[in-house]
Amino acid sequence: MLNCLKESFKLTNKYIILATPLILFSLLSSLYILFSFRGDLINMLTALVLFVFMLAAFLSGWAYMLKLAVPDSQSEDPNLLIKEFPAGVGEYFLPALGLLLNVFVLSVLFMIAVYFAGMKLIGDVGISASALQSAFESTETLKNFLISLPKEQVLKLNLWNLLILAAMGVEYFLLMFHLPAVVFKSGNPFKAFFISLKDLFSKAFFKNLALYLLLFFSYAVLSILTTIFSVNVITHFIFTLINFYYLVFVAVLVFNYYYVNFIKIGGKFDETV
């Protein structure tokens, strides 16, 4: 694991051009959401569909760049990797759409499971949707709203939050190898999902879990630090750059880990489900 971390840091620094598509997509998607998600239901649905296509295009091109960067072909000019982005979109756009469909279906299943488990184990909080919506109008309003709640409702809210966080953690763990499996093993996103689960729950399960926990807690620490230190324009800009670097490193780390542990060894792809 330590060697994989060191190698991933080296690859991230060498192929820092990987940050370019991520930054551009973050900027363009933010502007798109700001100006497009308005109007009636038809316009909103159309904007949502187009955003999904944008996301699929980004994931397909970026994943292909990661696939080429991880084996480290000792390219004389690592910045030339950006030229491979369009080729990745052409090759993996449809698989990326399928991957997003898998994520959507899995998220819906987890939402249903969380709802029924929460209602059975925790119970209804007793807060109307309108009251909850009004509470989120501002930070001060939310603070006063939480203070006004009795201890029993606060306890239930905390338990619901823990349940939702736990469910999200399990879902993200199940999806950790999905994108690498698509570009390394099978262009069929549905088959790739089951392959990724096989690899996830293989003999290297505890090693995979250690990787996920490392990513989970490192992201939590970075999020806390970002919230604390982003108090002015300068520190906000610095931590924005740190977050982009961290996201690139995480992507490289996951792809590199998957390549080393499930692709490189044996000299051939393992597509057995």
Side-chain angles (χ1 to χ4, degrees):
M1 177 70 75
L2 184 60
N3 289 334
C4 189
L5 285 170
K6 291 180 179 178
E7 185 180 0
S8 298
F9 268 117
K10 291 180 180 178
L11 289 172
T12 302
N13 293 330
K14 179 178 180 179
Y15 295 100
I16 197 62
I17 192 66
L18 286 165
T20 301
L22 178 62
I23 294 173
L24 290 177
F25 175 75
S26 299
L27 177 61
L28 294 176
S29 61
S30 298
L31 292 174
Y32 177 79
I33 292 172
L34 180 63
F35 293 107
S36 299
F37 281 77
R38 298 177 179 179
D40 56 23
L41 181 61
I42 300 299
N43 290 334
M44 294 282 286
L45 290 176
T46 302
L48 179 61
V49 171
L50 291 176
F51 177 76
V52 171
F53 286 162
M54 288 172 56
L55 180 57
F58 163 71
L59 286 176
S60 55
W62 203 46
Y64 185 63
M65 290 175 64
L66 287 164
K67 177 185 178 180
L68 297 178
V70 162
D72 193 10
S73 59
Q74 303 298 326
S75 173
E76 294 183 2
D77 187 1
N79 291 330
L80 293 177
L81 185 65
I82 193 68
K83 293 184 177 181
E84 303 297 334
F85 187 90
V89 176
E91 185 172 354
Y92 293 109
F93 179 74
L94 291 179
L97 281 177
L99 180 147
L100 292 175
L101 177 61
N102 288 343
V103 173
F104 174 75
V105 171
L106 190 64
S107 298
V108 170
L109 293 176
F110 266 85
M111 288 172 60
I112 295 173
V114 165
Y115 173 77
F116 284 106
M119 292 299 292
K120 185 174 182 61
L121 300 175
I122 303 173
D124 189 4
V125 180
I127 301 175
S128 65
S130 58
L132 195 60
Q133 184 178 358
S134 300
F136 280 94
E137 290 180 355
S138 66
T139 304
E140 190 65 26
T141 305
L142 180 60
K143 181 180 178 181
N144 294 330
F145 175 75
L146 292 175
I147 293 175
S148 66
L149 293 177
K151 291 183 178 180
E152 181 180 353
Q153 283 185 313
V154 173
L155 177 61
K156 285 187 176 182
L157 273 177
N158 290 333
L159 290 175
W160 271 101
N161 287 333
L162 287 175
L163 178 61
I164 293 172
L165 180 63
M168 290 173 61
V170 173
E171 181 184 1
Y172 293 159
F173 179 62
L174 295 178
L175 292 169
M176 184 168 64
F177 294 148
H178 192 0
L179 188 56
V182 167
V183 297
F184 278 122
K185 289 192 173 183
S186 175
N188 183 327
F190 311 106
K191 179 181 179 181
F193 179 61
F194 289 104
I195 292 174
S196 69
L197 290 180
K198 179 192 75 70
D199 293 334
L200 190 66
F201 291 97
S202 64
K203 291 185 291 185
F205 171 76
F206 290 105
K207 189 178 178 181
N208 300 336
L209 181 61
L211 172 67
Y212 178 74
L213 292 176
L214 174 65
L215 299 179
F216 182 87
F217 287 111
S218 62
Y219 178 74
V221 171
L222 180 59
S223 298
I224 293 172
L225 292 176
T226 301
T227 303
I228 293 174
F229 290 104
S230 294
V231 293
N232 56 55
V233 176
I234 297 176
T235 55
H236 178 74
F237 177 73
I238 292 173
F239 272 90
T240 299
L241 294 179
I242 293 174
N243 274 275
F244 277 122
Y245 180 86
Y246 173 80
L247 290 175
V248 174
F249 168 71
V250 166
V252 171
L253 175 60
V254 171
F255 270 69
N256 188 36
Y257 176 90
Y258 193 78
Y259 176 77
V260 170
N261 289 276
F262 301 105
I263 304 297
K264 187 177 181 179
I265 295 179
K268 61 179 181 179
F269 293 169
D270 177 12
E271 296 186 3
T272 305
V273 179

